[in-house]
């Protein structure tokens, strides 16, 4: 009976562990980005602005509605000379009129609305560019926090190994109690490092889940990806060229100039005269022709644009062209400045990273192991070992932070260029 229950408990624990593993979600950058594009509420809300702009295209191209009028006149309202025939002289006159727009006003309104849609699409792409930068920053922060956690764990495991050897030496009378106490007290630093690193990792995951609009528990969420740097970097001019062709905010500025020119054409067209054509039917005798019971008539109404020729709107749209041209020039200058600044930061990080990977990382390991071996055999003091252990920890942590800084700078350069040029 006892064996059966023990077996059942083990089986239940295995099933529970497998369920926890299956519930764990580890996402790559591509999966994180896809989920972000599907779920981020700010991005989804802004995407509707494009549909709204397309709806405005329909409104812009609508024709003016015709006007229908029904008139009745000639009804007698009081007796005259003892005769009261109220409806004998009543006549009905339905009429219809229509405003005819000249100078391609409808076509220009549609063209302006379509260019407004292009601006909305570019503005949405620019918002997505900015939000993806924030997403990439949270993703990099998570990878960096994971690397720091792993480093803290490795340091703690190594130091526990040092403590085991030191306790063996103490039992053998090779080191004093005070040396063992100092070694054990130093372990608090590594415990603190691990606790702080795990807290930073949780905060990074929370930020990432917020951008994904995901409510899953933090312990079930993880990301994976390369946490390293590439020594290859294109020339600055290549990034500049890509940015000038790609940046959506610059595209929006260029499209705004184009739309302003169309709006100016529309303002000129709106200053022209639009006639209104009308026609009506009358059922009654004509005073000039008593046999004309059913008659028709037509008219043309032409406004005399003596005072209002849309002068203010013409001037405003002309000035708006110049204003948008200045904004386009400012946007182009900002694009080039962003590329140059982020490129310089990335180059600086690479200058610092190269010697770490080639030299300093191996040196820190070699020096630590050498001093520890010497300390084990009485050739180095406890202070020497503690100092070199602290130096090793500083070098390794600095390298992890530099890689994180490089990935953040690469993300900044992607933001400046307008698309992902450095994965």
């Amino acid at each position: 009976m006892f064996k059966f229950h023990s077996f059942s408990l083990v089986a239940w624990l295995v099933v529970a562990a497998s369920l926890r593993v299956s519930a764990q979600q580890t996402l790559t950058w591509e999966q994180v980005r896809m989920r972000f594009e599907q779920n981020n509420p700010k991005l989804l809300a802004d995407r509707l602005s494009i549909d709204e702009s397309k709806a405005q295209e329909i409104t812009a191209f609508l024709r003016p509605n015709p006007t229908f009028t029904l008139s009745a006149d000639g009804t007698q309202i009081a007796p005259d000379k003892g005769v009261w025939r109220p409806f004998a002289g009543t006549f009905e006159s339905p009429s219809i009129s229509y405003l005819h727009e000249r100078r391609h006003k409808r076509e220009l309104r549609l063209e302006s609305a379509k260019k407004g849609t292009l601006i909305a699409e570019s503005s949405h792409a620019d918002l997505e560019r900015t939000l993806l930068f924030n997403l990439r920053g949270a993703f990099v922060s998570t990878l960096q926090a994971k690397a720091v956690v792993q480093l803290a764990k490795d340091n703690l495991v190594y130091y526990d190994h040092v403590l085991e050897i030191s306790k063996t030496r103490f039992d053998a009378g090779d080191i004093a109690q005070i040396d063992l106490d100092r070694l054990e007290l130093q372990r608090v630093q590594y415990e603190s490092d691990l606790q702080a690193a795990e807290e930073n990792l949780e905060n990074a995951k929370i930020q990432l889940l917020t951008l994904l609009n995901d409510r899953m528990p933090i312990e079930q969420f993880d990301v994976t990806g390369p946490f390293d740097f590439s020594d290859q970097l294109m020339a600055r001019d290549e990034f500049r060229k890509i940015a000038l062709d790609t940046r959506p905010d610059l595209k929006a500025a260029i499209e705004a100039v184009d739309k302003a020119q169309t709006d100016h054409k529309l303002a000129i067209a709106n200053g022209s005269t639009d006639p209104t054509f009308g026609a009506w039917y009358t059922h009654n005798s004509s005073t000039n022709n008593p046999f004309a019971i059913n008659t028709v008539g037509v008219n043309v109404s032409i406004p005399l644009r003596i005072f209002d020729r849309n002068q203010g709107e013409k001037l405003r749209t002309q000035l708006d062209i110049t204003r948008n041209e200045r904004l386009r020039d400012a946007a182009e200058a900002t694009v080039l400045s962003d590329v140059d600044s982020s490129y310089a930061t990335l180059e600086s990080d690479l200058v610092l990273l190269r010697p770490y990977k080639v030299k300093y990382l191996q040196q820190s390991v070699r020096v630590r192991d050498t001093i520890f071996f010497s300390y084990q055999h009485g050739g180095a003091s406890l202070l020497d070992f503690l100092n070199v252990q602290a130096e090793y920890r500083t070098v390794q942590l600095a390298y992890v932070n530099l890689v994180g800084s490089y990935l953040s700078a690469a993300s900044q350069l992607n933001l400046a260029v307008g698309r992902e040029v450095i994965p």
Side-chain angles (χ1 to χ4, degrees), residues 68-101:
F68 175 77
T69 306
L70 178 62
S71 302
D73 199 1
T75 302
Q76 185 182 12
I77 62 173
D80 184 28
K81 298 178 182 180
V83 178
W84 187 35
R85 299 172 61 193
F87 300 108
T90 301
F91 69 90
E92 305 84 21
S93 179
S95 65
I96 189 167
S97 61
Y98 180 73
L99 175 68
H100 174 66
E101 292 185 305

